[in-house]
């Protein structure tokens, strides 16, 4: 789970937040990501995965 969150942050899908307990992610970006995952088709998932890999390289 920690690697997934790190990957999503590196790809720009989750926004970092600094709170009183340390680092984390914003609730709005998490809600946005969960909504995308709930409604994403397999084609959009493959396209996003491919785009993230190309961006990472």
């Amino acid at each position: 789970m920690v690697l997934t969150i790190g990957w999503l942050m590196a790809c720009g899908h989750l926004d970092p937040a600094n709170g009183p307990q340390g680092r984390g992610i914003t609730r709005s970006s998490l809600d946005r990501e969960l909504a995308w995952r709930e409604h994403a088709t397999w084609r959009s998932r493959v396209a996003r995965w491919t785009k993230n890999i190309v961006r990472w390289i």
Side-chain angles (χ1 to χ4, degrees):
M1 187 72 171
V2 172
L3 292 176
T4 302
I5 292 172
W7 174 256
L8 290 171
M9 287 179 71
C11 293
H13 301 298
L14 293 177
D15 302 327
N18 292 321
Q21 296 139 348
R23 292 193 209 159
I25 56 174
T26 61
R27 181 67 190 182
S28 62
S29 68
L30 180 60
D31 290 340
R32 190 174 59 241
E33 177 65 21
L34 293 174
W36 182 87
R37 286 178 179 226
E38 184 178 337
H39 297 94
T41 64
W42 69 271
R43 287 183 181 162
S44 60
R45 290 175 187 267
V46 169
R48 185 184 198 193
W49 181 82
T50 304
K51 190 177 2 174
N52 289 342
I53 292 296
V54 168
R55 227 186 264 162
W56 185 258
I57 294 173

